[in-house]
């Protein structure tokens, strides 16, 4: 290339706004490339510009470029950005999508290679569960002991590892795997019989085709002159293998990601794919994007110092284009309630300085933590939204529990009756519920009275009668517990959860979703303890949900740190930095040092969501599972650099007596926020 032409090329309009490392990553198009992209370093910009450069410089036609993302949203954003640069030149860019969408496209062209017809269907999770239930029924497997959701999660795990049933070796540590393998064999056979596949099959089948059909593999490996992969640190074994096959011919594979933001091992992601990229692909070029365009210097220093304690990482030295900014605040509180008050006070201060609520986020380690903040915000009239989840009192398990309590308290509560009459399953189907409703309407009965009368008249089918009668008897027993025996409403809730088998239902379904539901129910018990009686608690729930519905406009964002990945906010609160909660005890127990390092990466992700202000906090005491427990500050706090941290007054107290906890702790009036004053005016 003539030197003048080279200068013209590197000064093209779409390349002008790139820094030195970004430009190097765009222009390096020969051989494997790993782009280590730190938080806020503009990785999407690099990827899209790289695609544009390849096409503009005629290194490949659009249909010779494979670009893979993890979400449809990311794929669409990439498509839009490339189109903005290339305009008409972007036409024919047909191989941009998720791993699953690209795999489906390939599989459609060669279905017979894995025993499918060209018109095969793709089933969703609901259909998968239904099929597994049918298999369990035909094989006399008790789904109460081996939940379909858990079976599916194990099967998906095997598929992520590239294992068809015949290649699975059941783990001796997991007593269920031998039985699940039997189901897996039948499940795969049924899928073929039905001419269908699940999402895991899409990639697994493609890899199978590539392994056993070299002629088909050559079609794609020859065609894809360039391969680009976003969020490579989140790939699993089978995805990595899929990419290796497709890059076989030209080896021009460019993977972008950040090992420090690898936080999805629980869904199969393997960080070693990123760490060992240069071992898999010979002559790999590694380029680090170390200029951060998001966070202030203090925020970045704190995040960088924390993550430096991880051993398994590529490593990078992030620098920011922003100014020094405020110190990262570290606040200690007496309990979770005072933590919520403290956070709301800080938010009120930010509002006075004209900060937008939309630019404020509270990031928690576990979803149950949102409850204290929701309660506080509801009380003082501070609007909020839950991102990537549901508000506490709208979560299915919470609504179920409240419905039980409402029906016990008020036998004519038909809505509650209808909600929980068959939760957990009591063989009471839609037909029976319809029968109860029609009889109630005809005779002006409540649904409960209608059900009792239908049983008395022997109009309910024998099998259904057993379940319905058991439920109705339990209602009478629980009312006796409440009214005659005068059980505390928290104790009553615990009895209901036990005797209805609701807790057992969740415990038997061994997956993350149900573990979160159990945590939410434990948090509900904490919430109930704050009220004198059942009446006042139920009134609180009713008012809380009705107040919430009136809010519109700007809102504070509440979410888990996992849900915050890829987002950014001016101000970020990170509460609950306590041992056992963050780092989470389960993660360490199950995965040891690997689990601890992932928890630290999660903390790093949380801190780096902030552009201007980060506020970390922990509580000295937390009410958990019916008891007050002493909390210990997270080990991560000791890993933060002192010079970039500002601590609140709690850290200046030297007398241990000042740290003694009183569960009836009241916050002094002068410490109440403007929001609290708003609340007092409202109730007067």
């Amino acid at each position: 290339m003539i030197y003048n032409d080279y200068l013209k090329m590197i000064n093209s309009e779409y390349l002008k706004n790139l820094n030195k490392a970004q430009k190097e990553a765009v222009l390096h198009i020969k051989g494997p490339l790993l782009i280590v992209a730190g938080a806020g370093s503009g990785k999407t910009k690099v990827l899209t510009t790289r695609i544009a450069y390849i096409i503009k410089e005629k290194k490949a036609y659009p249909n010779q470029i494979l670009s893979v993302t993890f979400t449809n949203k990311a794929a669409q954003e990439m498509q839009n950005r490339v189109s903005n640069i290339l305009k008409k030149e972007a036409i024919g860019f047909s191989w941009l999508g998720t791993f699953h969408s690209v795999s489906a496209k390939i599989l459609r062209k060669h279905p017979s290679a894995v025993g499918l017809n060209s018109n095969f269907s793709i089933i969703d999770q609901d259909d998968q569960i239904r099929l597994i239930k049918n298999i369990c029924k035909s094989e006399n497997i008790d789904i109460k002991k081996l939940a379909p959701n858990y079976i599916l999660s194990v099967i998906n795990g095997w598929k992520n590892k590239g294992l068809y049933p015949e290649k699975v070796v059941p783990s001796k540590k997991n007593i269920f795997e031998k039985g699940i393998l039997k189901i897996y064999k039948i499940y795969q056979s049924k899928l073929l019989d039905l001419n269908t596949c699940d999402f895991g099959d899409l990639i697994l089948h493609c890899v199978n085709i590539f392994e056993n059909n070299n002629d088909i593999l050559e079609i794609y490996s020859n065609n894809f002159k360039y391969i680009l992969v976003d969020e490579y640190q989140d790939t699993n074994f089978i995805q990595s293998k899929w990419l290796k096959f497709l890059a076989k011919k030209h080896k021009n594979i460019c993977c972008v990601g950040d090992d420090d933001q690898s936080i999805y091992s629980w869904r199969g992601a393997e960080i070693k794919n990123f760490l060992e990229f240069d071992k898999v692909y010979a002559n790999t070029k590694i380029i680090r994007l170390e200029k951060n365009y998001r966070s202030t210097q203090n925020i970045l220093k704190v995040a960088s110092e924390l993550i430096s304690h991880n051993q398994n990482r590529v490593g990078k030295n992030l620098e920011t284009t922003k100014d020094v900014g405020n110190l990262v605040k570290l606040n200690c509180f007496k309990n979770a309630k005072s933590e919520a008050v403290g956070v709301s006070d800080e938010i009120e201060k930010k509002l006075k300085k004209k900060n937008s609520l939309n630019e404020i986020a509270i990031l928690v380690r576990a979803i149950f933590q949102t409850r204290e903040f929701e309660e506080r915000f509801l009380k003082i009239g501070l609007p909020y939204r839950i991102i990537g989840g549901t508000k506490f009192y709208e979560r299915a398990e919470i609504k179920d529990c409240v419905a039980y309590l409402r029906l016990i308290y008020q036998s004519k509560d038909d809505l509650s009756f209808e909600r929980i009459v068959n939760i957990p399953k009591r063989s009471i189907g839609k037909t029976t519920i319809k029968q109860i409703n029609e009889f109630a309407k005809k005779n002006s009965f409540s649904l409960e009275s209608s059900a009792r009368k239908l049983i008395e008249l022997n109009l309910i089918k024998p099998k259904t009668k057993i379940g319905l009668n058991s439920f109705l008897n339990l209602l009478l027993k629980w009312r006796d517990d409440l009214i005659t025996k005068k059980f505390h409403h928290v104790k009553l809730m615990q009895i209901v959860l036990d005797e209805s088998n609701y807790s057992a239902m969740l415990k038997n379904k061994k997956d993350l979703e149900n573990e979160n539901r159990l945590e939410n129910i434990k948090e509900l018990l904490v919430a109930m303890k704050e009220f004198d009686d059942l009446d006042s608690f139920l009134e609180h729930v009713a008012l809380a949900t009705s107040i919430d519905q009136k809010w519109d406009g700007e809102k504070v964002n509440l979410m888990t740190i996992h849900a915050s990945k890829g987002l950014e906010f001016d101000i970020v609160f990170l509460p609950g930095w306590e041992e056992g909660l963050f780092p989470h005890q389960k993660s360490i127990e199950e995965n040891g040092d690997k689990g601890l390092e992932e928890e630290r990466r999660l903390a790093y992700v949380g801190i780096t969501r902030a552009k201007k202000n980060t506020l970390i906090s922990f509580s000295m005491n937390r009410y958990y599972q019916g008891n007050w427990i002493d909390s210990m500050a997270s080990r991560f706090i000791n890993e933060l650099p002192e010079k970039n941290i500002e601590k609140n007054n709690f850290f200046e107290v030297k007398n241990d007596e000042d740290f003694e906890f009183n569960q009836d702790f009241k916050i002094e009036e002068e410490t109440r926020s403007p929001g609290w004053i708003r609340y007092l005016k409202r109730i007067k």
Side-chain angles (χ1 to χ4, degrees):
M1 182 184 291
I2 301 172
Y3 182 70
N4 287 338
D5 290 338
Y6 179 76
L7 283 179
K8 184 180 177 183
M9 178 263 294
I10 63 172
N11 288 317
S12 297
E13 193 65 36
Y14 68 100
L15 297 173
K16 279 184 178 178
N17 295 323
L18 300 177
N19 63 41
K20 186 179 177 182
Q22 288 174 333
K23 191 172 286 187
E24 185 183 4
V26 169
L27 300 181
H28 184 87
I29 58 170
K30 188 65 178 175
L33 172 65
L34 182 68
I35 302 175
V36 184
S41 62
K43 65 176 180 66
T44 305
K45 183 179 183 180
V46 169
L47 272 179
T48 52
T49 309
R50 182 178 168 89
I51 293 169
Y53 171 69
I54 291 168
I55 294 172
K56 273 188 171 292
E57 297 304 312
K58 297 182 169 47
K59 303 296 181 182
Y61 293 109
N63 68 351
Q64 294 176 314
I65 300 172
L66 171 63
S67 185
V68 190
T69 66
F70 272 86
T71 65
N72 290 319
K73 183 182 177 183
Q76 189 59 56
E77 184 182 357
M78 193 172 290
Q79 179 72 65
N80 292 340
R81 289 200 187 192
V82 172
S83 297
N84 286 337
I85 299 173
L86 293 177
K87 308 301 181 193
K88 291 182 179 179
E89 292 177 276
I91 296 172
F93 192 35
S94 55
W95 291 100
L96 187 157
T98 64
F99 279 96
H100 291 107
S101 67
V102 173
S103 294
K105 193 172 179 178
I106 293 172
L107 195 56
R108 288 284 180 202
K109 296 180 183 292
H110 316 281
S112 61
V114 287
L116 294 169
N117 298 322
S118 59
N119 63 340
F120 69 85
S121 58
I122 304 168
I123 62 172
D124 60 17
Q125 187 170 320
D126 288 343
D127 289 332
Q128 288 177 276
I129 295 293
R130 195 176 297 113
L131 179 56
I132 287 171
K133 282 181 178 177
N134 290 339
I135 294 169
C136 289
K137 188 176 180 179
S138 64
E139 296 296 317
N140 294 315
I141 296 168
D142 188 354
I143 60 174
K144 290 182 179 178
K145 295 180 180 178
L146 196 57
N149 279 327
Y150 179 64
I151 295 170
L152 183 59
S153 70
V154 174
I155 290 173
N156 286 339
W158 285 331
K159 290 187 177 186
N160 287 340
K161 293 175 182 175
L163 301 174
Y164 283 107
E166 58 271 18
K167 292 185 178 180
V168 172
V169 179
S171 169
K172 292 180 180 179
K173 294 181 181 178
N174 190 330
I175 59 173
F176 299 109
E177 283 199 1
K178 190 174 180 181
I180 294 172
L181 178 56
K182 179 183 176 183
I183 296 169
Y184 184 19
K185 290 175 180 176
I186 301 170
Y187 174 77
Q188 284 302 107
S189 178
K190 289 280 187 185
L191 289 179
L192 284 176
D193 291 343
L194 295 167
N195 191 37
T196 191
C197 60
D198 60 26
F199 279 92
D201 286 331
L202 294 173
I203 303 175
L204 184 62
H205 285 336
C206 276
V207 168
N208 182 15
I209 291 170
F210 297 154
E211 279 183 320
N212 297 295
N213 300 273
N214 194 58
D215 55 333
I216 297 175
L217 173 60
E218 283 189 0
I219 294 171
Y220 296 98
S221 64
N222 284 332
N223 181 72
F224 296 138
K225 289 186 176 182
Y226 293 94
I227 298 173
L228 298 93
V229 187
D230 193 15
E231 303 286 8
Y232 187 66
Q233 78 279 349
D234 294 333
T235 55
N236 57 35
F237 173 84
I238 196 68
Q239 289 165 338
S240 176
K241 192 172 182 179
W242 182 89
L243 287 166
K244 191 178 178 182
F245 272 120
L246 293 174
K248 182 180 177 183
K249 173 71 175 180
H250 299 286
K251 296 182 172 56
N252 294 325
I253 181 169
C254 168
C255 292
V256 183
D258 184 3
D259 52 315
D260 291 335
Q261 297 187 66
S262 179
I263 58 175
Y264 295 117
S265 66
W266 49 274
R267 66 184 191 196
E270 296 192 9
I271 193 173
K272 74 174 185 179
N273 291 342
F274 194 95
L275 299 176
E276 298 177 2
F277 183 87
D278 57 340
K279 294 178 182 178
V280 175
Y281 298 97
N283 303 314
T284 290
K285 173 81 171 177
I286 299 176
I287 296 174
R288 290 170 170 82
L289 304 184
E290 298 178 313
K291 188 165 284 186
N292 176 285
Y293 294 92
R294 178 187 298 155
S295 306
T296 63
Q297 292 177 31
N298 276 317
I299 292 171
L300 208 58
K301 289 274 186 178
V302 168
S304 298
E305 182 68 25
L306 175 67
I307 201 63
S308 70
H309 288 78
N310 274 7
Q311 299 299 311
N312 295 303
R313 58 192 293 261
V314 174
K316 67 185 85 66
N317 297 304
L318 285 181
E319 298 178 353
T320 181
T321 59
K322 305 294 182 180
D323 58 16
V324 175
N326 297 324
L327 294 170
V328 171
K329 283 192 175 183
L330 177 60
N331 295 328
C332 173
F333 296 99
K334 284 193 174 182
N335 57 33
K337 184 182 285 295
S338 64
E339 185 177 43
V341 171
V343 168
S344 70
D345 287 353
E346 288 285 352
I347 292 173
E348 295 283 2
K349 291 175 186 177
K350 300 300 181 185
L351 285 177
K352 283 184 176 180
K353 295 179 181 179
K354 307 299 182 184
N355 289 103
S356 166
L357 287 179
N358 290 337
E359 285 297 327
I360 299 174
I362 300 171
L363 311 183
V364 296
R365 174 60 182 86
I367 192 65
F368 78 85
Q369 290 174 262
T370 68
R371 202 272 306 174
E372 286 284 9
F373 298 100
E374 291 188 60
E375 297 275 18
R376 176 64 180 170
F377 295 165
L378 287 165
K379 181 172 278 189
I380 66 173
L382 195 64
Y384 71 94
R385 66 172 66 88
I386 303 288
I387 304 289
T390 310
K391 293 180 178 180
F392 186 80
Y393 287 111
E394 293 175 4
R395 293 168 193 167
E397 61 278 10
I398 302 303
K399 292 176 79 170
D400 290 344
C401 290
V402 171
Y404 268 107
L405 293 173
R406 280 177 172 155
L407 187 58
I408 294 167
Y409 187 73
Q410 173 52 265
S411 64
K412 294 181 179 180
D413 191 332
D414 288 350
L415 289 174
S416 294
F417 180 94
E418 198 159 7
R419 180 177 184 91
I420 47 88
V421 67
N422 199 41
I423 300 177
K425 299 289 186 185
R426 301 185 177 95
S427 301
I428 304 166
K430 291 180 180 178
T431 304
T432 303
I433 294 171
K434 185 181 178 184
Q435 182 187 3
I436 294 169
N437 268 289
E438 289 175 349
F439 192 81
K441 189 177 180 181
K442 184 179 178 181
N443 296 280
S444 299
F445 287 168
S446 68
L447 294 186
E448 184 180 336
S449 297
S450 174
R452 293 187 187 280
K453 193 66 179 175
L454 286 167
I455 289 175
E456 186 185 319
L457 297 171
N458 204 28
L459 297 174
I460 301 291
K461 292 179 181 178
K463 187 180 178 181
T464 303
K465 184 179 178 180
I466 294 170
L468 184 58
N469 204 41
S470 172
F471 173 66
L472 294 172
N473 288 337
L474 280 172
L475 286 174
L476 293 176
K477 187 264 182 187
W478 294 330
R479 286 179 189 134
D480 184 61
D481 288 342
L482 179 67
I483 299 165
T484 307
K485 296 178 182 175
K486 298 188 182 301
F487 281 6
H488 191 272
H489 54 290
V490 176
K491 184 180 179 180
L492 176 67
M493 185 77 259
Q494 291 170 325
I495 290 169
V496 169
L497 288 165
D498 182 39
E499 294 181 350
S500 69
N501 290 322
Y502 195 98
S503 290
M505 174 186 74
L506 296 181
K507 288 174 182 176
N508 287 333
K509 297 177 180 178
K510 299 178 182 294
D511 59 31
L512 183 62
E513 185 180 354
N514 283 295
E515 286 175 15
N516 287 336
R517 286 175 176 172
L518 282 167
E519 289 293 337
N520 285 332
I521 289 173
K522 291 170 186 174
E523 189 63 19
L524 176 69
L525 295 172
V526 176
M528 290 176 66
K529 192 174 173 47
E530 297 175 12
F531 297 87
D532 294 331
D533 50 40
L534 181 57
D535 186 22
S536 57
F537 170 69
L538 293 176
E539 185 178 335
H540 167 74
V541 175
L543 288 172
T545 50
S546 64
I547 289 169
D548 185 44
Q549 289 170 0
K550 297 175 185 177
W551 285 342
D552 54 17
E554 291 191 355
K555 297 177 182 180
V556 176
N557 302 283
L558 274 92
M559 70 196 82
T560 63
I561 303 175
H562 281 102
S564 76
K565 180 87 183 299
L567 304 177
E568 60 182 33
F569 304 91
D570 285 345
I571 303 159
V572 169
F573 292 88
L574 295 162
W577 279 43
E578 300 141 31
E579 284 294 306
L581 181 55
F582 199 26
H584 203 283
Q585 190 62 32
K586 185 185 175 187
S587 184
I588 297 173
E589 287 176 354
E590 292 184 353
N591 300 298
D593 288 343
K594 286 184 178 178
L596 177 60
E597 292 210 346
E598 179 151 331
E599 290 289 297
R600 192 177 282 112
R601 291 195 293 271
L602 194 57
Y604 174 83
V605 168
I607 295 170
T608 55
R609 296 312 91 198
K611 292 190 280 186
K612 297 178 181 178
N613 292 283
T614 300
L615 300 94
I616 299 168
S617 60
F618 65 96
S619 301
M620 296 166 56
N621 300 268
R622 199 171 278 277
Y623 193 74
Y624 187 70
Q625 298 189 30
N627 297 297
W628 285 105
I629 58 171
D630 293 329
S631 301
M632 185 183 296
S634 169
R635 69 190 75 186
F636 297 155
I637 287 172
N638 292 327
E639 297 172 356
L640 306 178
E642 289 278 344
K643 64 180 181 180
N644 304 104
I645 297 289
E646 177 189 348
K647 299 178 180 179
N648 71 346
N649 294 335
F650 260 98
F651 292 91
E652 298 172 8
V653 179
K654 295 181 180 179
N655 187 346
D656 288 342
E657 291 180 4
D658 292 331
F659 285 88
E660 288 182 2
F661 178 67
N662 176 4
Q663 68 182 41
D664 297 320
F665 169 72
K666 298 284 191 303
I667 298 164
E668 298 298 326
E669 192 66 37
E670 60 265 23
T671 69
R672 299 291 191 183
S673 68
W676 178 254
I677 297 168
R678 237 180 6 245
Y679 168 66
L680 290 177
K681 288 179 179 177
R682 194 170 73 218
I683 62 174
K684 285 177 181 177

